[in-house]
Amino acid sequence: MPILLLVIVGAAAGFIATRLLDLRSSVPVTIAIGIAGALFGTLILRLIGALFGMAAGFVGAILGAMALIWIWKKLSDRR
């Protein structure tokens, strides 16, 4: 994420988060909270995505192996 976009998104996120949680802080602190939150949130979402991505690949591998076994059995029974 480019630095300028990070600052803009961080400022907006920090402003919204501080208002939702009723935290009174200065503008630099609000921006810093937002930037740190954006970095932390991105890290967590990428970690979750990687875990589910690996799990989806594993499930896909099992389903693919089951399909091949089923096909193998159907072709073997013909003979």
Side-chain angles (χ1 to χ4, degrees), residues 24-76:
R24 303 290 177 218
S25 61
S26 65
V27 172
V29 171
T30 300
I31 293 171
I33 289 171
I35 291 171
L39 290 173
F40 183 70
T42 300
L43 176 69
I44 295 299
L45 285 176
R46 286 189 181 185
L47 179 64
I48 290 170
L51 289 175
F52 282 125
M54 286 187 291
F58 184 65
V59 170
I62 292 171
L63 292 175
M66 289 172 60
L68 286 176
I69 290 170
W70 181 78
I71 292 169
W72 180 264
K73 283 184 173 184
K74 290 296 178 183
L75 291 176
S76 295

Side-chain angles (χ1 to χ4, degrees), residues 6-22:
L6 180 65
V7 171
I8 292 170
V9 169
F15 175 77
I16 292 170
T18 56
R19 295 306 175 254
L20 289 174
L21 297 176
D22 196 29

